[in-house]
Amino acid sequence: MKRQRENAIVFADPERCLGCHGCELACAVAHSGTGLHQAALSGLTLRPRNKVVAAGGVMMPVQCRQCEDAPCAAACPTGAMLQESGQVGVREKNCVGCKVCVMVCPFGAISVKHEGSDPESCRTNGGVARKCDLCAGTGRGLPACVEACPTKALSLVDLEEYRQTLIEARAAELAQSLQHLKSRKARI
Protein backbone atom coordinates (compact mmCIF):
# COMPACT_ATOMS: atom_id res chain seq x y z
CA MET A 1 0.00 0.00 0.00
CA LYS A 2 1.40 3.38 -1.03
CA ARG A 3 1.95 5.81 1.84
CA GLN A 4 0.22 9.16 1.34
CA ARG A 5 2.30 12.32 1.79
CA GLU A 6 1.51 14.74 4.56
CA ASN A 7 -0.36 17.89 3.65
CA ALA A 8 1.81 20.90 2.78
CA ILE A 9 1.24 24.10 4.76
CA VAL A 10 2.01 27.79 4.51
CA PHE A 11 4.50 28.48 7.29
CA ALA A 12 4.71 32.00 8.72
CA ASP A 13 7.89 33.24 10.40
CA PRO A 14 6.67 35.77 12.99
CA GLU A 15 10.16 37.28 13.28
CA ARG A 16 10.00 38.35 9.63
CA CYS A 17 6.34 39.40 9.35
CA LEU A 18 5.83 43.17 9.15
CA GLY A 19 2.06 42.96 9.46
CA CYS A 20 1.71 44.77 6.12
CA HIS A 21 -1.37 42.73 5.07
CA GLY A 22 0.12 42.21 1.58
CA CYS A 23 -0.58 38.49 1.93
CA GLU A 24 -4.26 39.21 2.57
CA LEU A 25 -4.52 41.42 -0.49
CA ALA A 26 -2.68 38.91 -2.69
CA CYS A 27 -4.96 36.11 -1.48
CA ALA A 28 -8.12 38.13 -2.09
CA VAL A 29 -7.04 39.16 -5.58
CA ALA A 30 -5.94 35.62 -6.48
CA HIS A 31 -9.40 34.30 -5.61
CA SER A 32 -11.34 37.17 -7.14
CA GLY A 33 -10.93 35.94 -10.70
CA THR A 34 -9.82 39.42 -11.75
CA GLY A 35 -7.02 41.89 -11.09
CA LEU A 36 -6.96 44.47 -8.30
CA HIS A 37 -7.66 47.39 -10.65
CA GLN A 38 -10.64 45.67 -12.30
CA ALA A 39 -12.03 44.57 -8.93
CA ALA A 40 -11.90 48.16 -7.67
CA LEU A 41 -13.54 49.52 -10.81
CA SER A 42 -16.37 46.99 -10.65
CA GLY A 43 -16.92 47.48 -6.89
CA LEU A 44 -16.09 43.85 -6.14
CA THR A 45 -15.53 43.14 -2.45
CA LEU A 46 -12.24 41.32 -2.06
CA ARG A 47 -12.13 38.75 0.74
CA PRO A 48 -8.88 37.07 1.75
CA ARG A 49 -8.76 33.51 3.03
CA ASN A 50 -6.07 34.41 5.54
CA LYS A 51 -5.96 37.07 8.24
CA VAL A 52 -3.02 38.94 9.75
CA VAL A 53 -3.35 39.01 13.54
CA ALA A 54 -1.34 40.60 16.33
CA ALA A 55 -0.73 38.50 19.43
CA GLY A 56 2.03 38.22 21.98
CA GLY A 57 3.96 41.13 20.51
CA VAL A 58 4.18 39.66 17.01
CA MET A 59 2.10 39.90 13.86
CA MET A 60 1.55 37.05 11.47
CA PRO A 61 -1.09 35.65 9.15
CA VAL A 62 -3.37 32.87 10.25
CA GLN A 63 -4.62 30.49 7.60
CA CYS A 64 -5.74 26.89 7.32
CA ARG A 65 -3.08 24.47 8.59
CA GLN A 66 -4.31 21.72 6.23
CA CYS A 67 -4.76 19.35 9.20
CA GLU A 68 -4.06 15.67 8.62
CA ASP A 69 -7.14 14.69 10.65
CA ALA A 70 -9.14 17.82 9.92
CA PRO A 71 -11.83 18.50 12.55
CA CYS A 72 -13.75 20.63 10.03
CA ALA A 73 -13.99 17.75 7.57
CA ALA A 74 -15.03 15.34 10.32
CA ALA A 75 -17.71 17.68 11.67
CA CYS A 76 -19.21 18.93 8.40
CA PRO A 77 -22.75 17.48 8.17
CA THR A 78 -22.99 17.87 4.38
CA GLY A 79 -19.53 16.68 3.34
CA ALA A 80 -18.66 20.13 2.03
CA MET A 81 -15.34 20.10 3.93
CA LEU A 82 -13.18 17.26 2.69
CA GLN A 83 -9.65 16.04 2.64
CA GLU A 84 -8.30 15.21 -0.81
CA SER A 85 -5.16 15.61 -2.87
CA GLY A 86 -3.02 16.54 0.12
CA GLN A 87 -5.17 19.39 1.40
CA VAL A 88 -8.41 20.22 3.13
CA GLY A 89 -10.86 21.62 0.61
CA VAL A 90 -14.36 23.02 0.42
CA ARG A 91 -16.96 21.61 -1.93
CA GLU A 92 -18.93 24.86 -2.15
CA LYS A 93 -22.04 23.38 -3.77
CA ASN A 94 -22.54 21.19 -0.67
CA CYS A 95 -22.02 23.97 1.88
CA VAL A 96 -25.16 25.20 3.61
CA GLY A 97 -23.37 27.85 5.70
CA CYS A 98 -24.07 26.15 9.05
CA LYS A 99 -20.69 27.26 10.50
CA VAL A 100 -19.94 23.96 12.24
CA CYS A 101 -16.52 24.02 10.55
CA VAL A 102 -15.90 27.51 11.97
CA MET A 103 -16.70 26.31 15.48
CA VAL A 104 -14.39 23.27 15.39
CA CYS A 105 -11.37 24.79 13.61
CA PRO A 106 -8.66 25.07 16.28
CA PHE A 107 -6.96 27.91 14.40
CA GLY A 108 -9.93 30.13 13.59
CA ALA A 109 -9.00 29.88 9.93
CA ILE A 110 -12.46 29.38 8.40
CA SER A 111 -15.08 32.01 7.70
CA VAL A 112 -18.58 31.74 6.28
CA LYS A 113 -19.57 34.79 4.27
CA HIS A 114 -21.57 35.66 1.21
CA GLU A 115 -19.40 36.39 -1.81
CA GLY A 116 -21.16 38.09 -4.63
CA SER A 117 -22.64 41.37 -5.67
CA ASP A 118 -26.26 40.74 -4.64
CA PRO A 119 -26.76 39.51 -1.05
CA GLU A 120 -30.50 40.19 -1.43
CA SER A 121 -30.87 37.41 -4.03
CA CYS A 122 -31.70 34.74 -1.48
CA ARG A 123 -33.56 34.35 1.81
CA THR A 124 -30.39 33.58 3.79
CA ASN A 125 -27.05 35.34 3.79
CA GLY A 126 -25.94 32.81 1.16
CA GLY A 127 -22.61 32.29 2.89
CA VAL A 128 -20.32 29.39 2.17
CA ALA A 129 -17.19 28.26 3.97
CA ARG A 130 -13.98 29.98 2.88
CA LYS A 131 -10.47 28.99 3.92
CA CYS A 132 -6.98 28.81 2.53
CA ASP A 133 -6.85 26.32 -0.31
CA LEU A 134 -3.17 26.93 -1.14
CA CYS A 135 -4.46 28.78 -4.22
CA ALA A 136 -5.69 25.56 -5.82
CA GLY A 137 -7.44 26.29 -9.07
CA THR A 138 -5.79 29.68 -9.55
CA GLY A 139 -3.07 28.37 -11.86
CA ARG A 140 -0.26 29.35 -9.50
CA GLY A 141 2.81 27.35 -8.63
CA LEU A 142 2.92 28.86 -5.13
CA PRO A 143 0.15 30.38 -3.03
CA ALA A 144 -0.31 34.10 -3.78
CA CYS A 145 0.48 35.06 -0.18
CA VAL A 146 3.89 33.36 -0.37
CA GLU A 147 4.71 35.13 -3.65
CA ALA A 148 3.58 38.53 -2.34
CA CYS A 149 5.35 38.61 1.03
CA PRO A 150 8.03 41.33 0.81
CA THR A 151 10.13 39.88 3.66
CA LYS A 152 9.69 36.21 2.68
CA ALA A 153 8.07 35.55 6.04
CA LEU A 154 5.78 33.03 4.32
CA SER A 155 6.83 29.81 2.69
CA LEU A 156 5.09 26.71 1.41
CA VAL A 157 6.44 23.84 3.47
CA ASP A 158 6.43 20.19 2.53
CA LEU A 159 6.50 18.71 6.02
CA GLU A 160 8.31 15.53 5.00
CA GLU A 161 11.14 17.56 3.42
CA TYR A 162 11.17 19.89 6.43
CA ARG A 163 11.39 16.96 8.84
CA GLN A 164 14.23 15.41 6.78
CA THR A 165 16.11 18.73 6.87
CA LEU A 166 15.71 18.85 10.67
CA ILE A 167 16.94 15.25 11.02
CA GLU A 168 20.01 16.00 8.89
CA ALA A 169 20.76 19.16 10.89
CA ARG A 170 20.51 17.26 14.19
CA ALA A 171 22.69 14.44 12.84
CA ALA A 172 25.34 17.01 11.81
CA GLU A 173 25.22 18.51 15.32
CA LEU A 174 25.64 15.07 16.87
CA ALA A 175 28.56 14.26 14.57
CA GLN A 176 30.24 17.55 15.50
CA SER A 177 29.72 16.81 19.21
CA LEU A 178 31.22 13.35 18.75
CA GLN A 179 34.29 14.85 17.04
CA HIS A 180 34.64 17.31 19.92
CA LEU A 181 34.48 14.47 22.47
CA LYS A 182 37.06 12.41 20.56
CA SER A 183 39.46 15.37 20.41
CA ARG A 184 39.06 15.95 24.17
CA LYS A 185 39.78 12.28 24.94
CA ALA A 186 42.84 12.36 22.69
CA ARG A 187 44.27 15.28 24.69
CA ILE A 188 43.78 13.53 28.03
Side-chain angles (χ1 to χ4, degrees):
M1 185 167 134
K2 187 178 176 183
R3 195 171 132 283
Q4 188 170 344
R5 293 186 64 81
E6 288 181 86
N7 297 343
I9 63 167
V10 173
F11 175 78
D13 182 347
E15 292 179 358
R16 290 179 150 191
C17 181
L18 300 173
C20 70
H21 300 268
C23 57
E24 288 180 358
L25 183 60
C27 175
V29 170
H31 288 90
S32 72
T34 186
L36 179 59
H37 184 70
Q38 185 59 38
L41 288 175
S42 63
L44 182 66
T45 301
L46 296 175
R47 290 202 172 91
R49 297 174 184 208
N50 58 356
K51 182 168 181 55
V52 175
V53 296
V58 297
M59 294 190 78
M60 61 186 278
V62 172
Q63 66 272 333
C64 178
R65 306 304 298 165
Q66 308 298 332
C67 299
E68 292 299 320
D69 188 15
C72 60
C76 182
T78 64
M81 302 296 284
L82 65 151
Q83 214 162 349
E84 64 181 2
S85 304
Q87 71 180 52
V88 179
V90 181
R91 189 177 293 135
E92 294 179 15
K93 67 180 183 188
N94 290 11
C95 183
V96 295
C98 69
K99 300 181 182 79
V100 170
C101 56
V102 173
M103 292 186 285
V104 300
C105 177
F107 301 99
I110 304 172
S111 65
V112 176
K113 292 191 171 117
H114 174 77
E115 285 189 18
S117 57
D118 186 15
E120 307 300 322
S121 64
C122 60
R123 292 181 301 166
T124 68
N125 72 4
V128 295
R130 298 278 186 241
K131 57 173 260 345
C132 174
D133 59 4
L134 303 175
C135 288
T138 64
R140 300 176 165 277
L142 283 175
C145 59
V146 173
E147 291 177 346
C149 183
T151 62
K152 304 300 179 209
L154 300 177
S155 56
L156 183 64
V157 175
D158 177 306
L159 292 172
E160 290 182 18
E161 289 176 18
Y162 178 73
R163 187 175 299 106
Q164 186 60 38
T165 300
L166 284 178
I167 290 169
E168 290 169 7
R170 296 305 172 257
E173 289 172 6
L174 289 171
Q176 188 175 8
S177 294
L178 180 61
Q179 290 300 323
H180 178 71
L181 285 173
K182 285 182 179 180
S183 69
R184 280 186 61 143
K185 283 184 180 181
R187 284 185 272 160
I188 297 179

